[in-house]
Amino acid sequence: QSVLTQPPSASGTPGQRVTISCSGSNSNIGSNNVYWYQQLPGTAPKLLIYRTNQRPSGVPDRFSGSKSGTSASLAISGLRSEDEADYYCAAWDDTLSVLFGGGTKLTVL
Amino acid sequence: QVQLQQWGAGLLKPSETLSLTCSVYGGSFSGFYCSWIRQSPGKGLEWIGEINDSGTTNYNPSLKSRVTISLGSSKNQFSLKLRSVTAADTAVYYCARGSGSYLVYWGQGTLVTVSS
């Protein structure tokens, strides 16, 4: 069982805005940056958001991250079919380890 | 462009030791941590541990007793050893370069199956 809690699934239609949540605690999300990864089937995860709300070069501005207290969110606006993937949040924990969320499978209807 | 290439045995018997190596090409190891992450079939990501170029390590507390991450024999190389494997250790194992949960570059993944 993951210490960072994500909904197992999310869905939306093309063009919609979808939000994926990630809940943690004071020792991880509450005191450290949050990172988001996108994983397409059969491929390695790809960094999507770093330092809670920063996008690496090449990631569309349709993707955005935020944090409030011990929870974080990934928002995807203008949903596209190619956004269908698994999404994982991650954060450093004060126990000197990295925690991942359980992952959210996003379906574009 | 930084690339990570990983290799190691893909089929193990219970109680054996998993051994994987990862090389970082096109970029330095210096100043960064490099991590190992695994993903059981159909499951989520699990961080195993990390090492920096000085050999400082951090491990997942749940795996710490069985894991050793070390610097490789060649520059920009690092290795993973996981002792006393069971079927529960069957997973795709990834190496990645970054610091903590900031993992920018990933290897291609290696499927390790534990079966008698």
Side-chain angles (χ1 to χ4, degrees), chain B residues 27-81:
Chain B
S28 176
F29 194 153
S30 178
F32 294 96
Y33 274 84
C34 285
S35 295
W36 288 98
I37 302 100
R38 71 180 183 179
Q39 186 170 33
S40 300
K43 303 293 186 184
L45 302 170
E46 180 180 28
W47 185 77
I48 298 170
E50 65 180 5
I51 188 168
N52 70 4
D53 58 324
S54 299
T56 300
T57 54
N58 292 304
Y59 295 119
N60 183 327
S62 69
L63 296 170
K64 189 173 183 176
S65 63
R66 297 193 293 132
V67 171
T68 300
I69 296 175
S70 58
L71 296 174
S73 53
S74 301
K75 189 180 177 183
N76 288 351
Q77 228 175 55
F78 61 107
S79 298
L80 167 70
K81 289 192 186 302

Side-chain angles (χ1 to χ4, degrees), chain B residues 7-10 12 17-21 36 79-82 85 110 112:
Chain B
W7 64 92
L12 296 172
T17 296
L18 179 156
S19 182
L20 298 174
T21 301
W36 288 98
S79 298
L80 167 70
K81 289 192 186 302
L82 178 65
V85 298
T110 300
V112 177

